[in-house]
Amino acid sequence: MTERAAVKAALKTQAVETPSWAYGNSGTRFKVFAQQGVPRDPMEKLDDAAKVHEFTGVAPTVALHIPWDTVDDYAALARHAEDRGLRLGAINSNTFQDDDYRLGSVCHPDASVRRKAVDHLLECVDIMDATGSKDLKLWFADGTNYPGQDDIRARQDRLAEALAEVYERLGDDQRMLLEYKLFEPAFYTTDVPDWGTAYAHCLRLGPKARVVVDTGHHAPGTNIEFIVATLLREGKLGGFDFNSRFYADDDLMVGAADPFQLFRIMYEVVRGGGLSGDVAFMLDQCHNVESKIPAIVRSVMNVQEATAKALLVDRDALGAAQRAGDVLGANAVLMDAFSTDVRPLLREVREEMGLDPDPMAAYARSGWAEKIVAERVGGEQAGWGA
């Protein structure tokens, strides 16, 4: 197989998971701008997700968020997905929107609140059993706002106890993916603030626990690709929440703020074997002013472009330059790959997959946007936020 054919083969097998909540109304803590045609229930979210997969060919799974996507019959929801050529992906828990969680959830000083939070996580595993989902994704807003508010070490003990109980409930083919976040909504201490804390808990739990890297959850200037390389080396990278940020956790479209960073991350994924492994590539974005479905289509395309460039890095030339101590030569190898226009290559890939070479234009011509605006009248639109 030629190098070009190998690159195309890898791109054809890539999969990007889209988030159910990105199809609904979402926004900042200040305002959500509602749009026409937004889904009113999880079924309609899957209908929209099917269009993303139809035009990109690489978005076969959809992550759910509980309770945002609560239904009476999860097996029926899974069948609805299958009927549209999709599968249900990661189940995301929610322990941050209940008044009881003002002082934390699994780290709360009150044992009854911790019990409520853990019971919700166990419910999410039950939903995984019903949907066939393999990943339970955990993000905790737990933390403190003031020094002395709570015992930092005791909160870590409570977290470890909760995670251990949920870990024991997982099936043999199920995983726990633990996400971290530098700050927000807690401003003094966050109970899972960085990859080291998440890694330490996952290491203690065992092989079914891995770390999720949200690209927006870092301090300015953080070398995210170093984190990715290290977690891959340790076999503890479970997946990504792809998005972009300019200042904090902006949840903008992946690759929008710093496409070079996305390329560097994807190179480390390729270098570490993550592209052909069990790393989950998920989007976690907030489409507040842009149209939902086109924004998700564009995000998938951005991941594809960064991946294509990463696959085109001449690793033999790079290795030779590195061994020779040729600093500028090594950097030039990476820059040459990043500067390559991979859009013609991706158009070829899509045509060989039986897809329109331009997913954005194909969606615009499909009439789906006009159809959902006309048909989704009445009821309550799905959404979250302010």
Side-chain angles (χ1 to χ4, degrees):
M1 182 183 293
T2 66
E3 180 183 359
R4 183 181 180 84
V7 169
K8 290 166 75 172
L11 291 169
K12 290 174 184 177
T13 59
Q14 186 177 29
V16 180
E17 183 162 300
T18 68
S20 68
W21 53 96
Y23 296 98
N25 287 321
S26 58
T28 68
R29 67 173 62 85
F30 303 111
K31 173 65 178 174
V32 172
F33 299 105
Q35 298 182 17
Q36 292 182 308
V38 164
R40 296 162 296 181
D41 56 44
M43 302 287 192
E44 291 183 345
K45 293 179 183 179
L46 292 175
D47 294 342
D48 287 353
K51 291 298 173 182
V52 174
H53 186 44
E54 176 183 340
F55 294 114
T56 65
V58 294
T61 58
V62 181
L64 301 183
H65 212 296
I66 307 301
W68 299 342
D69 294 315
T70 297
V71 295
D72 293 331
D73 188 338
Y74 288 100
L77 186 64
R79 289 193 297 271
H80 186 84
E82 291 170 5
D83 289 344
R84 282 145 185 80
L86 301 171
R87 301 186 311 277
L88 297 181
I91 303 300
N92 291 253
S93 61
N94 184 319
T95 55
F96 53 86
Q97 284 193 309
D98 193 295
D99 286 345
D100 284 344
Y101 299 142
R102 181 172 63 91
L103 300 179
S105 61
V106 295
C107 300
H108 198 288
D110 188 327
S112 65
V113 176
R114 298 199 300 273
R115 184 70 258 161
K116 174 180 176 177
V118 171
D119 285 345
H120 167 68
L121 303 184
L122 296 173
E123 175 196 12
C124 287
V125 182
D126 292 339
I127 294 170
M128 293 169 65
D129 293 340
T131 60
S133 301
K134 302 302 181 184
D135 290 337
L136 171 67
K137 190 145 71 69
L138 307 178
W139 172 71
F140 300 107
D142 293 38
T144 63
N145 280 358
Y146 297 98
Q149 177 181 324
D150 200 356
D151 188 299
I152 294 174
R153 180 165 175 162
R155 293 180 73 89
Q156 288 297 308
D157 292 339
R158 298 166 199 157
L159 173 62
E161 182 180 351
L163 292 176
E165 180 176 349
V166 178
Y167 185 89
E168 289 303 313
R169 170 64 182 81
L170 295 173
D172 292 339
D173 60 346
Q174 295 174 334
R175 306 188 302 174
M176 172 188 292
L177 305 183
L178 181 59
E179 188 176 349
Y180 58 90
K181 188 175 184 180
L182 177 67
F183 77 102
E184 192 188 45
F187 295 108
Y188 173 60
T189 63
T190 300
D191 291 309
V192 190
D194 51 39
W195 72 274
T197 305
Y199 173 75
H201 281 285
C202 289
L203 191 63
R204 173 172 290 190
L205 288 166
K208 294 185 290 187
R210 297 196 183 186
V211 180
V212 168
V213 175
D214 185 306
T215 49
H217 286 188
H218 302 84
T222 297
N223 189 319
I224 299 175
E225 56 267 32
F226 174 83
I227 298 170
V228 170
T230 301
L231 290 174
L232 276 168
R233 181 173 179 272
E234 298 297 324
K236 279 295 184 181
L237 179 63
F240 289 93
D241 274 1
F242 277 135
N243 52 57
S244 283
R245 57 176 285 260
F246 286 104
Y247 299 106
D249 182 22
D250 303 336
D251 274 346
L252 300 173
M253 289 165 43
V254 60
D258 188 352
F260 185 47
Q261 180 191 66
L262 181 59
F263 160 75
R264 299 194 310 265
I265 290 170
M266 291 310 302
Y267 172 71
E268 292 303 332
V269 170
V270 171
R271 163 71 177 82
L275 196 61
S276 58
D278 54 2
V279 176
F281 300 98
M282 298 173 278
L283 304 179
D284 182 14
Q285 301 177 168
C286 169
H287 305 298
N288 192 26
V289 297
E290 65 270 34
S291 298
K292 316 294 182 182
I293 300 174
I296 297 171
V297 170
R298 173 59 69 188
S299 299
V300 173
M301 294 172 66
N302 288 349
V303 174
Q304 288 181 296
E305 291 185 16
T307 304
K309 293 180 178 185
L311 288 165
L312 289 174
V313 172
D314 187 336
R315 291 171 61 179
D316 290 337
L318 180 62
Q322 291 170 341
R323 289 188 297 273
D326 184 356
V327 176
L328 294 180
N331 177 252
V333 173
L334 284 181
M335 295 308 299
D336 285 345
F338 177 68
S339 299
T340 302
D341 184 357
V342 296
R343 292 174 298 175
L345 174 66
L346 284 164
R347 284 195 288 269
E348 286 183 30
V349 168
R350 295 183 186 112
E351 288 176 335
E352 292 174 9
M353 294 174 67
L355 304 171
D356 190 292
D358 186 344
M360 292 290 286
Y363 174 73
R365 292 193 306 268
S366 71
W368 184 255
E370 295 78 12
K371 174 182 171 64
I372 58 179
V373 168
E375 293 183 354
R376 293 176 184 172
V377 178
E380 183 177 350
Q381 291 183 320
W384 64 273

